[in-house]
Amino acid sequence: MSKRLEQMRRNIRKLVTFIDEARDMTDRLEYPVIIAPLAIEDGRGFSALVPDLPGCMSDGETPEEAIANVQDAIASWIEAAHDLGRPIPKLSRKLAFA
């Protein structure tokens, strides 16, 4: 088995474990968040994207860190929208772990 395939399998196992452990954490998130592994050329780690809030994203070395960081990004996004008099999008709640 190639090293790349072995690494991909390890990453998938980590993501599955994270999803199982993160279900309770995501209950605290109001907006749906997409967590995805970053490519090697992007510095590895994980990205966290908030589809309901255009341009709202963050990252972290671990999925947990990405979620914690994106919560700060959500708060900052909402604060900036208030300051600019822009509407705050409603929650879509259409996303789920896949």
Side-chain angles (χ1 to χ4, degrees):
M1 188 175 338
S2 74
K3 289 183 181 182
R4 184 168 165 36
L5 183 57
E6 288 176 22
Q7 183 63 41
M8 288 174 65
R9 286 186 175 173
R10 280 193 295 272
N11 287 341
I12 290 169
R13 282 193 295 272
K14 286 179 186 178
L15 281 173
V16 168
T17 300
F18 164 73
I19 289 168
D20 291 339
E21 293 172 353
R23 289 188 193 273
D24 292 333
M25 286 178 66
T26 58
D27 289 341
R28 295 182 295 202
L29 295 174
E30 293 185 33
Y31 285 94
V33 174
I34 298 172
I35 304 295
L38 291 170
I40 294 170
E41 54 271 8
D42 292 330
R44 294 195 179 177
F46 293 84
S47 67
L49 172 70
V50 185
D52 291 340
L53 306 176
C56 185
M57 63 186 80
S58 191
D59 63 11
E61 290 186 29
T62 65
E64 295 87 354
E65 185 178 320
I67 286 177
N69 292 342
V70 84
Q71 289 183 67
D72 292 338
I74 290 169
S76 295
W77 194 103
I78 291 171
E79 181 180 346
H82 277 297
D83 291 347
L84 295 170
R86 295 187 177 157
I88 309 300
K90 293 184 179 183
L91 306 172
S92 69
R93 290 284 186 197
K94 293 181 183 176
L95 295 177
F97 287 111

